[in-house]
Amino acid sequence: MRITTRHAVRTVQALCVTVTAALVATGCGRSEDSGPGKDAPAEIAAGKAKGTVVMWSMGDTDPALKDLAEKFEQENPDATVKITAVPWDAAHDKLTTSIAGGNTPDMSVVGTTWMAEMAAMNGFQATPASIKSSDFYPGQWDTTKYKDTSYGVPFIANTMVVYYRTDLTEKAGVKGAPAADWSGYLKDLKAIQATVGKQNPKLRYSTGWNIGFNSWIFWLPLVWQQGGDIYDAKTGKFTFDSPEVAKALEYYASIPQQGLAPTDKTESMPAFQAGQIATYQEGPGVGGSLHNDTPKLDGKWKTAPLPYSKQPAGLAGGSDLAVFKDAKNADAAWKFTRFLTEPANLAAYAKATGNIPPSPSAWDQAKLSEDETMNAFAEQLKVSKAPPAISTWQQIADAVDSQLERLSLGKATVAQVQQALQSKATSIGTGR
């Protein structure tokens, strides 16, 4: 799960439609008994890795990943790992183009929400059976799946929790974390809002709000918390017209409609630092940024799991590792993938980068529970879920973002949003 610009996403989507159509037409030269969703698991040979492994890593140059590569090379003297950093904004385009052209590296870091789309392009090898799903949080493992076949291994976990300013919430009479149940949470937000300009002179809103791009990340867990979903994999139909979705939309709309959050696309992080908002939802990277950018707030903010009504749920995001169908050195690539996702190495990577690991064992080895602010993430990862594993997911997510913005701004009712999403999603379909 990574954020790119809307323009970039749409450009790549158009490319992917073309690319996918071309792949369907040519069959990509694969045998008839293989293909997206029905590939047999890759196999890892015995012995040490040999030869060169070419890997793409997303974002800036990653010293922690380089350190692990050097450790792998020490354990496998006949192997060399070459890592190329690819900017996230260009990553989706570069990956899909390379898959279509058959000129991929051996392996890559891949955003979790791209996995199904690229697996549907026949881009990845199926995960070897020797790499066990039970070693990872279930939601994180599900991000590797396409049509019930796994095409990667979780590498970086990501999920959202509530960050709250204790110096602001305490002045509103909120003792400890905001309430864990949705109705109690709304009452706490109202109590915090009542202190705007009074006990909390700089405060403007009790919480931040995400409108537009990627707002689905904040809303989809509300559906799961109702016991519902937006897509039924058994029937292959979207369920935006369900009572559970209606309830989730009502909850989502209740905050901006009651004036508890800004609707002008205020950036939450700086507003939180400035004391203009008291709470907001974000991933694990915020803690390090707050400490580095605003050390005076150390000890004045904490985290809590997301509030819920019927059952806890959160979104499983982050990045996976995948080995390409056209990898020149697949065996060594899988051995490096297996090495990187061993608990000790996941723990080392998490401690060096501030990311959170997708494996409970790695979580324990990194001793993340010793940091009080990490406990909310640990709870959330246990109940996190992956979005629908369909190749058109980004198009569906774009439609959700658009409708949530209309709802937040009071330009559409819950019923109108449901009707629009059901119609739009059905029109887009699920791809291959």
Side-chain angles (χ1 to χ4, degrees), residues 41-182:
E43 295 184 359
I44 303 178
K48 294 183 180 296
K50 298 179 181 178
T52 300
V53 178
V54 179
M55 177 183 185
W56 286 351
S57 172
M58 304 307 152
D60 298 329
T61 301
D62 189 340
L65 184 59
K66 184 179 178 182
D67 289 344
L68 288 172
E70 290 176 352
K71 181 181 175 184
F72 178 76
E73 290 171 342
Q74 291 171 2
E75 295 181 6
N76 298 270
D78 295 329
T80 301
V81 179
K82 293 185 176 180
I83 301 173
T84 299
V86 178
W88 273 107
D89 284 351
H92 186 286
D93 198 349
K94 191 173 179 68
L95 286 165
T96 52
T97 302
S98 69
I99 291 171
N103 58 352
T104 64
D106 294 304
M107 59 184 289
S108 181
V109 175
V110 181
T112 54
T113 53
W114 301 345
M115 290 295 294
E117 175 191 352
M118 295 177 190
M121 293 174 65
N122 216 10
F124 303 143
Q125 297 188 13
T127 309
S130 58
I131 299 178
K132 302 297 184 185
S133 62
S134 56
D135 291 339
F136 299 86
Y137 290 107
Q140 294 297 145
W141 184 264
D142 284 347
T143 66
T144 70
K145 288 183 176 179
Y146 178 66
K147 293 185 176 179
D148 294 328
T149 297
S150 175
Y151 285 95
V153 186
F155 184 47
I156 299 172
N158 198 349
T159 194
M160 302 284 178
V161 301
V162 175
Y163 286 79
Y164 63 99
R165 287 271 302 259
T166 57
D167 56 332
L168 303 180
T169 57
E170 287 174 359
K171 290 179 181 176
V174 177
K175 297 180 179 178
D181 65 291
W182 189 261

Side-chain angles (χ1 to χ4, degrees), residues 83-411:
I83 301 173
T84 299
V86 178
W88 273 107
D89 284 351
H92 186 286
D93 198 349
K94 191 173 179 68
L95 286 165
T96 52
T97 302
S98 69
I99 291 171
N103 58 352
T104 64
D106 294 304
M107 59 184 289
S108 181
V109 175
V110 181
T112 54
T113 53
W114 301 345
M115 290 295 294
E117 175 191 352
M118 295 177 190
M121 293 174 65
N122 216 10
F124 303 143
Q125 297 188 13
T127 309
S130 58
I131 299 178
K132 302 297 184 185
S133 62
S134 56
D135 291 339
F136 299 86
Y137 290 107
Q140 294 297 145
W141 184 264
D142 284 347
T143 66
T144 70
K145 288 183 176 179
Y146 178 66
K147 293 185 176 179
D148 294 328
T149 297
S150 175
Y151 285 95
V153 186
F155 184 47
I156 299 172
N158 198 349
T159 194
M160 302 284 178
V161 301
V162 175
Y163 286 79
Y164 63 99
R165 287 271 302 259
T166 57
D167 56 332
L168 303 180
T169 57
E170 287 174 359
K171 290 179 181 176
V174 177
K175 297 180 179 178
D181 65 291
W182 189 261
S183 59
Y185 185 73
L186 277 178
K187 288 179 181 177
D188 284 344
L189 291 185
K190 291 177 183 177
I192 296 168
Q193 192 69 33
T195 68
V196 168
K198 302 171 184 175
Q199 293 95 329
N200 289 311
K202 294 182 180 179
L203 191 66
R204 297 293 177 267
Y205 296 96
S206 58
T207 192
W209 202 238
N210 186 282
I211 294 179
F213 185 55
N214 270 347
S215 53
W216 68 268
I217 291 172
F218 301 85
W219 174 73
L220 187 51
L222 293 175
V223 181
W224 296 330
Q225 289 168 5
Q226 294 301 311
D229 211 331
I230 60 172
Y231 175 68
D232 186 338
K234 292 182 179 177
T235 63
K237 295 181 179 179
F238 292 98
T239 53
F240 284 104
D241 54 356
S242 68
E244 292 83 3
V245 168
K247 197 65 179 177
L249 289 170
E250 290 171 5
Y251 280 135
Y252 183 86
S254 63
I255 290 179
Q257 287 176 353
Q258 295 182 60
L260 302 174
T263 55
D264 59 356
K265 300 187 180 182
T266 296
E267 290 287 339
S268 293
M269 176 73 164
F272 187 78
Q273 291 172 305
Q276 295 170 352
I277 61 173
T279 70
Y280 80 117
Q281 296 180 21
E282 250 299 354
V286 166
S289 297
L290 285 172
H291 175 70
N292 293 329
D293 300 341
T294 325
K296 65 181 181 182
L297 291 182
D298 286 354
K300 295 182 179 178
W301 61 269
K302 292 186 177 181
T303 59
L306 300 179
Y308 64 93
S309 50
K310 291 188 177 180
Q311 60 188 30
L315 183 78
S319 300
D320 298 328
L321 297 173
V323 174
F324 292 96
K325 275 277 178 71
D326 293 314
K328 293 181 176 61
N329 193 355
D331 183 65
W334 276 119
K335 285 173 177 169
F336 188 44
T337 298
R338 183 178 61 187
F339 170 86
L340 288 175
T341 54
E342 290 172 353
N345 292 326
L346 283 174
Y349 186 76
K351 292 177 71 173
T353 62
N355 290 304
I356 54 176
S359 143
S361 296
W363 191 279
D364 292 340
Q365 292 199 31
K367 299 181 179 179
L368 294 178
S369 296
E370 293 180 359
D371 180 347
E372 182 186 358
T373 64
M374 286 287 103
N375 291 334
F377 290 99
E379 292 302 311
Q380 210 66 63
L381 284 174
K382 294 174 184 174
V383 296
S384 64
K385 293 183 63 174
I390 53 177
S391 60
T392 56
W393 170 246
Q394 191 59 61
Q395 296 174 66
I396 303 297
D398 269 357
V400 173
D401 287 347
S402 177
Q403 292 302 319
L404 290 180
E405 181 166 355
R406 294 179 67 212
L407 186 64
S408 294
L409 299 178
K411 295 182 178 179

